[in-house]
Amino acid sequence: LLFKIATATHIVGGEIYYDNLGGNNYKIRMKVYRDCLNGIPPFDNPAFFTIFDAAGNVFTTLEINYTSFITVPPTNNSLCAPTSAGNSCVEEAKYETIVKLPPLIGGYYIAYQRCCRNSTLLNIEDPLETGSTETIHITEEAFTDCNSSPAFNVWPDIYVCTNKSIDFDHSATDID
């Protein structure tokens, strides 16, 4: 028997949102970012999402294929960014689906998990064993108020300088 150890050393981060479409229908949207230089396994396709009730019980699971895939244009606006553009590469995959969720006391939690970070990180203890969990809570008020979640307006720069202040716009927009 032959076997190969699979390694996934690429996760940068991600974000997950929902849009209330009415009639108990929700559009679930997620972006996942990966380092495309230091470990290059493919994005999950499909990505596996779990929807939990407020008590932590599994309500359902979803398999969602990505709808688009891009290389994030480098912004290297940071004073400490390397002068060569070849020192960083970030890719983004977008996932989207519509799910029907009946009103539920306490609402729902939607979660996606993926392992791991890469060994070049210095600010995460044991990055090769540390993954990422993207999660969002659809509150019971979202059903009665037809509420959607806000989404961040911009993605931050790739570099943050040691001992330098950072000025980043953390604003988000809610469609309703």
Side-chain angles (χ1 to χ4, degrees), residues 63-174:
E63 295 180 30
I64 306 172
N65 291 320
Y66 61 74
T67 56
S68 67
F69 169 89
I70 64 165
T71 299
V72 178
T75 56
N76 292 354
N77 295 329
S78 173
L79 298 174
C80 62
T83 55
S84 168
N87 290 328
S88 68
C89 178
V90 175
E91 293 173 325
E92 170 192 271
K94 292 182 182 178
Y95 298 83
E96 187 175 292
T97 194
I98 295 174
V99 62
K100 188 170 195 78
L101 298 171
L104 182 67
I105 294 172
Y108 297 92
Y109 291 88
I110 301 173
Y112 165 80
Q113 290 185 319
R114 184 68 158 98
C115 191
C116 290
R117 307 299 176 128
N118 68 59
S119 61
T120 64
L121 295 175
L122 302 175
N123 64 341
I124 295 178
E125 190 174 319
D126 204 3
L128 295 177
E129 297 296 325
T130 303
S132 178
T133 300
E134 314 314 324
T135 184
I136 195 157
H137 181 206
I138 300 178
T139 65
E140 58 188 288
E141 291 80 18
F143 294 95
T144 57
D145 299 341
C146 197
N147 195 29
S148 299
S149 66
F152 290 111
N153 293 325
V154 294
W155 177 253
D157 286 338
I158 295 170
Y159 298 98
V160 177
C161 304
T162 303
N163 299 321
K164 301 286 183 190
S165 62
I166 181 172
D167 183 16
F168 175 67
D169 178 2
H170 284 84
S171 65
T173 303
D174 187 332

Side-chain angles (χ1 to χ4, degrees), residues 33-68:
Y33 299 93
R34 75 175 183 178
D35 177 342
C36 42
L37 291 181
N38 299 294
I40 313 176
F43 283 112
D44 289 339
N45 199 26
F48 294 91
F49 290 72
T50 304
I51 301 178
F52 300 91
D53 65 19
N57 301 305
V58 174
F59 175 77
T60 192
T61 57
L62 305 171
E63 295 180 30
I64 306 172
N65 291 320
Y66 61 74
T67 56
S68 67

